[in-house]
Amino acid sequence: TWEFQRADVEERVVDLLEKVGRLRAIGLATRNHLQATDITECSLFISPLSNSLTLQRLRDALERFGKITNIRRRAHLVGVGADALVQFAQRAHATQALEAITKQCVLGSAITAQRLSDMQAEG
């Protein structure tokens, strides 16, 4: 009976490892697909930013709309100010932030924002 129990346990372990492997492959494929297709839908281009609106202040103002995965701030070569590219974890987060910037002027009345995918479609 000992051999039978060992073979049964071994078969069960192999079966469970195969299931875990399949689930992991599905998870990785889904994650790669979302990262490849949704990055422009989750990103906002914001301009013009005053010099006083630092990366940390920008993050503090926009984090309440969702998780921010990346922020890049670029100073203008000519003139005063900067612009920023803010990437959110989900499209819905970017949509909420976009509405708050454009309709509620949470960053100020002179600041505009646009979804990166919309900019790429235009240009």
Side-chain angles (χ1 to χ4, degrees), residues 83-103:
D83 51 40
L85 185 64
V86 180
Q87 182 182 342
F88 288 87
Q90 296 180 15
R91 185 182 197 281
H93 299 166
T95 300
Q96 289 177 345
L98 180 61
E99 289 177 4
I101 294 167
T102 57
K103 294 178 182 174

Side-chain angles (χ1 to χ4, degrees), residues 8-32:
D8 184 47
V9 170
E10 183 178 343
E11 183 178 316
R12 175 104 170 107
V13 167
V14 168
D15 183 49
L16 288 172
L17 287 173
E18 286 177 8
K19 286 180 182 179
V20 168
R22 283 194 302 271
L23 291 173
R24 186 166 188 218
I26 291 169
L28 290 173
T30 303
R31 185 180 318 141
N32 290 338

